[in-house]
Amino acid sequence: MPNMSLQKNPMPSQDPQVRNKNFQEVALGYTKEIALDEAARCLNCKNMPCVKGCPVSIEIPNFIEKVKEGDFEGAYQVIAKSSSLPAVCGRVCPQETQCESKCVRGIKGEPVGIGRLERFVADWHNEHAGEEAVRPQPNGHKVAVIGAGPAGLTCAGELAKKGYAVTIFEALHLAGGVLVCGIPEFRLPKSIVQKEVDGLKAMGVDVECNSVIGKVLTIDERMDEMGYEAVFIGSGAGLPRFMGIPGEELNGVYSANEFLTRVNLMKAYREGADTPIKKNQRVAVVGGGNVAMDAARCALGLGADTVYIVYRRGMEELPARKEEVEHAEEEGIIFKTLCNPVEVVGDEKGFVKGVKCIEMELGEPDASGRRRPIEKPDSEFVLDVDCMIMSIGTSPNPLIKSTTKGLDTNKHGCIVADEATGQTSRPGVFAGGDAVTGAATVILAMGAGKSAAKAIDEYIQNK
Amino acid sequence: MYKIVRKECLNPTVTLMEVEAPLIARKAEPGQFIILRVDEDGERIPLTVADFDREKGTVTIIFQIVGATTLKLNHLEEGDSIHDFVGPLGVASHTEGLKKVAVIGGGVGCAIAYPIAKKLHQQGTEVHSIVGFRNKDLVILEEEFKAASSKFVMMTDDGSYGDKGLVTDALKALLDSGETYDEVIAIGPLIMMKFVCKLTKEYGVKTVVSMNPIMIDGTGMCGGCRLTVGGKTKFACVDGPDFDGHEVDFDEAMSRSGMYREFERHAYEETCNLFQKEVE
């Protein structure tokens, strides 16, 4: 008998007033009992609508069936057929707009907690399964992957499964990309990312850190001199954007990339860390996406008294996941919506002492279909803050584009690649993730890495 | 891990290290930099490439002990290894087509200016070098500069060696004596570069400076190294580190470089104490 409860089982979480002072994971994960109860809500629909909502097409009802049977390792094996990073996706995928949005149970009541079940299964596997690395039979072909973020890791994993000798070249000293630089510990513990990377290494994937492609070696050298038959570029989003308003050069104005990299990759939240971060008391984060939520919650965790999200549209328009907005609100972050910075005010020593903002109202929908924010005349006011974090997007990194002949980019500087295959204007060169789309989600990057792996396999086999 | 094959103390606070990094050595050009981490939890610091040997596969760095990380780095000896060493980053200095150049180095900035002087000299450019130090004890790379220059001027603040005065005094004297240059390349403390640029602007001589702002990744991700150049935001790691000195907002760069001064001073003292305890 299916469990006909209209609500999904809530996620056990750390208390908001405790977690806003630490960096431990907020969501604690389902227990075995809760997982069994939640799995029983799945109706195992024949036409599997949820799978169509998944960028990597995980056989969702099949893995949930295994959970119902109590065969958690079996469930993991079903997920692992389609996803290289289950423990990551179970945590950071926007399931509410993907698989769960298609769930029949969502028509009346809440959809099945697919993401939470995925996370449970992946964590169970990581805790219980003895890691027996299955090294696929080598097929004698070499592929280079640039960037060890979600797109690159997925592409590498898929190719390794098929027997390719894959080398990932990562610019930083640690693999993981946005999973280690951007997404904070409390949302995605770094030990989980490390485990996923170790899993790839156990399959035979070689990860070379400290390798900036375009600088130490170019793509042409990889292909011509080093015998890589194909290259996948998953180099990520790139340089942070600023607003171009007066005062952005003041000390205390960070890009979200810088702030989060200091906190996450460089562990600046730890007492005695070598990499400094200012412990600011009053912080304004500009922007309304997931990255803005992460930055705001990190600022709080670092000990700030007051943290604002400054966003030019309304609460309804916030691009961040609903769950992230709710977490931020519970932890005490103040949302200053319909509000836009016009100037950063500094003290005589060049440090931020306030942000001058102007109130906004929503007008007619613009080209993106969202209502255009318009400034309200004479509505300026100053937010009293000592730190401002700009989280308003990125523009592509120029390094690969400027050192790879014949690689086309669009007017924004993003690499032009076929949506279905990742094929670029250069034969044998594929690309996917934020380097192609501009800043998007982890799972979309993984989806691109996966389809590119399939296309690379076809390209090499048909050569 | 990247092995230190040679270590040399150039003066009491400046150290040279030759590091095994064959891939970087193959590509490095004057003006580019590397980023290193001394140990597992270390911070990432950028250091300009002071020299490279493509055949031996080594890259040379020269650093001043100014903070906790450089202090830790200085405690490594020949045969020890640096945890991370990545590069070459940034755009190489532009040297093509230059016939006569004045290269100006201030303090440890000479370590960055020297490879450029050497490259210019090797390609047949006439090089006049002006180097400045606070006093005689701090002088580095004198012989190297002399070998790469047809004219060489040594300046010290206190007159303990060479001529007494600032590098700008020497440059002004040369310009007033009728010397003309295609370009002045000035590398040293921000305040020195600012005043060199002020002077050369009056004389209408194009001036290139090498900026070393605070950086984290150094690959075009964090945006921490931003500068205002010609009224626009530029990133030293991918757009530089060389910029047209007449366009750089030095006052802003000086203010931004002080962001973590307190933290750095504290970390330096803590690290000093730590090493002190080890000795005891």
Side-chain angles (χ1 to χ4, degrees):
Chain A
M1 258 306 280
N3 169 358
M4 291 313 288
S5 160
L6 294 182
Q7 270 89 44
K8 56 173 140 174
N9 281 281
M11 182 60 126
S13 302
Q14 267 197 76
D15 182 83
Q17 295 317 314
V18 175
R19 72 185 192 227
N20 64 10
K21 300 280 176 275
N22 69 42
F23 272 81
Q24 280 141 34
E25 193 169 21
V26 166
L28 302 172
Y30 279 174
T31 60
K32 188 175 148 191
E33 290 69 31
I34 305 176
L36 288 169
D37 191 62
E38 186 62 26
R41 295 185 63 229
C42 176
L43 303 177
N44 200 5
C45 308
K46 282 278 160 297
N47 59 347
M48 303 194 278
C50 48
V51 179
K52 295 183 189 73
C54 176
V56 296
S57 307
I58 293 172
E59 295 168 15
I60 293 163
N62 297 352
F63 100 74
I64 296 181
E65 273 304 295
K66 294 281 183 195
V67 175
K68 283 183 202 167
E69 292 163 15
D71 177 7
F72 304 135
E73 180 57 25
Y76 179 82
Q77 293 308 329
V78 173
I79 299 174
K81 275 199 288 180
S82 314
S83 169
S84 308
L85 311 167
V88 173
C89 291
R91 287 173 166 79
V92 303
C93 264
Q95 291 99 6
E96 64 278 7
T97 60
Q98 298 179 355
C99 50
E100 293 181 16
S101 74
K102 313 275 188 212
C103 177
V104 171
R105 294 298 305 268
I107 298 168
K108 196 178 163 206
E110 288 184 333
V112 175
I114 299 170
R116 293 170 187 180
L117 286 171
E118 180 187 23
R119 170 182 162 157
F120 167 78
V121 166
D123 287 355
W124 192 92
H125 168 84
N126 283 343
E127 210 170 299
H128 295 88
E131 210 56 67
E132 289 168 47
V134 188
R135 280 205 183 215
Q137 191 65 29
N139 71 2
H141 296 285
K142 273 171 83 175
V143 178
V145 169
I146 300 169
L153 292 174
T154 305
C155 186
E158 294 293 322
L159 289 167
K161 278 185 213 164
K162 292 187 208 300
Y164 286 89
V166 184
T167 308
I168 308 183
F169 298 93
E170 165 58 43
L172 292 173
H173 56 262
L174 189 65
V178 71
L179 308 176
V180 292
C181 296
I183 302 178
E185 181 76 18
F186 54 75
R187 204 147 74 78
L188 178 64
K190 301 309 151 217
S191 56
I192 286 170
V193 181
Q194 193 53 49
K195 208 149 201 167
E196 304 276 16
V197 173
D198 289 345
L200 288 182
K201 286 184 182 164
M203 272 204 308
V205 173
D206 185 21
V207 182
E208 285 198 21
C209 290
N210 294 328
S211 300
V212 183
I213 300 307
K215 286 293 175 188
V216 70
L217 286 161
T218 62
I219 286 183
D220 293 279
E221 287 166 319
R222 289 269 173 251
M223 299 184 78
D224 299 345
E225 297 170 23
M226 303 180 73
Y228 290 98
E229 292 166 71
V231 174
F232 175 76
I233 306 171
S235 54
L239 285 160
R241 283 205 199 115
F242 290 88
M243 293 182 75
I245 57 175
E248 279 181 317
E249 74 290 351
L250 289 166
N251 288 328
V253 179
Y254 290 96
S255 72
N257 280 10
E258 179 184 354
F259 184 77
L260 291 170
T261 301
R262 283 181 185 272
V263 176
N264 299 318
L265 179 69
M266 307 310 295
K267 309 271 181 269
Y269 67 87
R270 289 187 192 157
E271 228 18 79
D274 280 2
T275 301
I277 191 132
K278 274 247 150 65
K279 300 274 190 323
N280 294 99
Q281 291 308 304
R282 300 171 64 80
V283 179
V285 179
V286 181
N290 289 320
V291 176
M293 300 305 137
D294 284 345
R297 294 170 69 194
C298 280
L300 212 54
L302 283 172
D305 296 332
T306 311
V307 179
Y308 300 104
I309 289 274
V310 177
Y311 179 58
R312 61 198 185 130
R313 292 184 164 95
M315 285 305 282
E316 289 304 305
E317 284 79 20
L318 281 169
R321 288 184 69 188
K322 206 163 150 256
E323 186 182 308
E324 300 307 326
V325 175
E326 283 168 10
H327 277 148
E329 282 186 306
E330 285 167 14
E331 287 164 24
I333 284 156
I334 303 164
F335 284 75
K336 287 271 178 197
T337 51
L338 291 169
C339 172
N340 207 27
V342 288
E343 186 187 340
V344 195
V345 192
D347 64 15
E348 65 289 348
K349 287 187 179 147
F351 283 79
V352 174
K353 68 168 190 185
V355 179
K356 193 188 217 183
C357 299
I358 189 162
E359 288 179 23
M360 311 290 279
E361 55 194 350
L362 293 180
E364 294 300 309
D366 61 14
S368 71
R370 292 184 301 177
R371 292 176 64 194
R372 187 195 302 273
I374 305 165
E375 290 183 357
K376 273 194 209 169
D378 303 320
S379 66
E380 285 98 341
F381 65 100
V382 175
L383 268 185
D384 171 24
V385 295
D386 54 7
C387 172
M388 177 160 105
I389 302 169
M390 302 300 276
S391 179
I392 53 168
T394 53
S395 48
N397 189 315
L399 284 187
I400 288 178
K401 175 190 141 189
S402 62
T403 53
T404 311
K405 276 185 227 110
L407 186 71
D408 289 350
T409 51
N410 67 17
K411 65 174 195 291
H412 303 295
C414 296
I415 298 169
V416 177
D418 183 89
E419 211 175 305
T421 64
Q423 173 68 57
T424 67
S425 55
R426 276 278 304 265
V429 179
F430 298 76
D434 286 0
V436 171
T437 56
T441 61
V442 168
I443 187 71
L444 282 175
M446 289 178 55
K450 188 176 176 183
S451 22
K454 186 164 170 276
I456 289 169
D457 180 42
E458 282 163 14
Y459 167 80
I460 291 177
Q461 299 307 329
N462 296 331
K463 248 193 352 188
Chain B
M1 301 289 268
Y2 302 81
K3 196 165 139 197
I4 299 161
V5 296
R6 182 164 69 99
K7 179 182 175 186
E8 203 181 304
C9 292
L10 301 185
N11 75 31
T13 62
V14 175
T15 302
L16 173 150
M17 279 180 181
E18 190 177 342
V19 181
E20 229 171 54
L23 287 175
I24 303 174
R26 217 173 79 150
K27 282 293 173 65
E29 290 289 343
Q32 290 189 297
F33 64 95
I34 56 94
I35 284 205
L36 63 79
R37 288 202 315 157
V38 177
D39 50 33
E40 177 62 52
D41 285 316
E43 66 173 333
R44 295 170 67 93
I45 60 161
L47 289 171
T48 307
V49 171
D51 207 350
F52 46 83
D53 187 327
R54 303 211 201 280
E55 270 157 33
K56 258 172 87 186
T58 59
V59 172
T60 301
I61 50 172
I62 294 177
F63 59 92
Q64 185 162 24
I65 303 153
V66 288
T69 298
T70 40
L71 187 61
K72 276 195 215 165
L73 181 60
N74 195 48
H75 267 72
L76 298 180
E77 301 298 337
E78 278 179 16
D80 291 343
S81 289
I82 296 172
H83 200 280
D84 296 292
F85 200 81
V86 55
L89 301 167
V91 182
S93 295
H94 169 82
T95 52
E96 244 169 71
L98 297 175
K99 297 217 164 40
K100 190 174 168 188
V101 172
V103 176
I104 301 175
V108 75
C110 290
I112 312 168
Y114 166 66
I116 300 169
K118 179 175 153 191
K119 183 174 179 187
L120 288 167
H121 178 71
Q122 281 171 349
Q123 71 178 26
T125 303
E126 186 180 352
V127 178
H128 289 181
S129 295
I130 305 169
V131 295
F133 299 92
R134 284 213 308 281
N135 59 54
K136 189 181 178 199
D137 295 339
L138 301 177
V139 170
I140 58 169
L141 300 171
E142 182 182 359
E143 291 312 313
E144 286 85 347
F145 266 106
K146 277 184 179 163
S149 321
S150 62
K151 195 181 277 264
F152 173 81
V153 186
M154 168 69 69
M155 303 295 289
T156 49
D157 293 3
D158 63 356
S160 54
Y161 196 54
D163 294 335
K164 183 174 170 24
L166 303 171
V167 291
T168 40
D169 301 333
L171 178 63
K172 187 165 189 307
L174 285 173
L175 290 167
D176 286 341
S177 74
E179 294 287 359
T180 56
Y181 302 106
D182 297 338
E183 200 172 288
V184 170
I185 298 173
I187 304 169
L190 288 166
I191 189 81
M192 179 206 97
M193 295 194 285
K194 176 181 165 172
F195 282 98
V196 167
C197 290
K198 201 166 163 241
L199 177 72
T200 55
K201 200 160 186 183
E202 285 167 27
Y203 285 79
V205 188
K206 185 182 174 196
T207 302
V208 171
V209 295
S210 176
M211 303 298 284
N212 59 342
I214 293 169
M215 275 185 196
I216 308 176
D217 65 297
T219 63
M221 183 193 52
C222 82
C225 65
R226 64 188 190 277
L227 305 157
T228 304
V229 182
K232 291 200 179 83
T233 297
K234 293 279 177 189
F235 300 99
C237 69
V238 290
D239 299 323
D242 287 1
F243 291 101
D244 179 344
H246 294 154
E247 300 277 327
V248 171
D249 185 337
F250 284 104
D251 293 336
E252 178 191 301
M254 280 187 257
S255 169
R256 283 183 64 77
S257 71
M259 171 87 185
Y260 294 104
R261 199 157 283 151
E262 268 304 296
F263 181 99
E264 282 159 1
R265 194 180 52 79
H266 185 69
Y268 178 72
E269 283 166 6
E270 296 245 302
T271 312
C272 280
N273 292 341
L274 217 64
F275 284 130
Q276 198 59 42
K277 273 190 197 132
E278 273 175 23
V279 173
E280 287 160 11

